[in-house]
Structures are given as C-alpha cells and as structure tokens.
Amino acid sequence: MAEPAFLTDEASPETAAPIVALIQDAAAVATTHFDQLPVGEEASVYVTLTARTGYGTIPLGMWGFLRAADNSVTLAGATQEGTDG
C-alpha cells in the first residue's frame, strides 16, 4: 500500500476565525507567562483552553508557544508567511 499523502490548504477567513480567536486567546496567556521571566530568557509553554458546558468543563485545544532570546513569541509548529509548510 502506498504511503498516505499529506495535504495543506488555506481555510477561508470566515471558517478559520473561531480557531484563530482561540489561538490568540492562548497566545495572550503564553505572553503573560513569558512576561514574568527574565528578559532574554528562552522558554516554551503549552496552553490549554477549556470551556464550561452543561456537561462539565471540556478542553478546546492545546497550543505550544516559544519565546526566543530576543523576546519574540511564536506558535510552535507554525509556518511563516511565504514558505511552503
């Protein structure tokens, strides 16, 4: 059997908006954490967002963030604009 193909395509802005909003919320949590560290210290953090429902609290997703020595924060595994991911 042939190996499966892995395909990447860009979602429409309308479809992606709720997920992008979750990632931005998680990034705010990560940035708050990183702001407590000494300037220039490299670090990584995983942020899990949850939601309360009538059935209990459920996880919505977990995202990893990296802070570089220049204090820039990136989403772990994200590709940069203009690159083939």
Side-chain angles (χ1 to χ4, degrees), residues 22 26 47-53 55-63:
L22 287 173
V47 177
T48 300
L49 294 181
T50 61
R52 292 185 185 139
T53 72
Y55 304 102
T57 300
I58 60 167
L60 298 175
M62 180 180 8
W63 297 271

Side-chain angles (χ1 to χ4, degrees), residues 29-84:
V29 173
T31 299
T32 298
H33 170 74
F34 291 144
D35 287 347
Q36 298 174 28
L37 303 176
V39 173
E41 181 177 317
E42 294 180 346
S44 62
V45 65
Y46 286 97
V47 177
T48 300
L49 294 181
T50 61
R52 292 185 185 139
T53 72
Y55 304 102
T57 300
I58 60 167
L60 298 175
M62 180 180 8
W63 297 271
F65 296 90
L66 308 170
R67 184 173 88 165
D70 66 359
N71 294 324
S72 62
V73 176
T74 57
L75 178 64
T79 58
Q80 299 300 311
E81 290 286 327
T83 64
D84 293 329

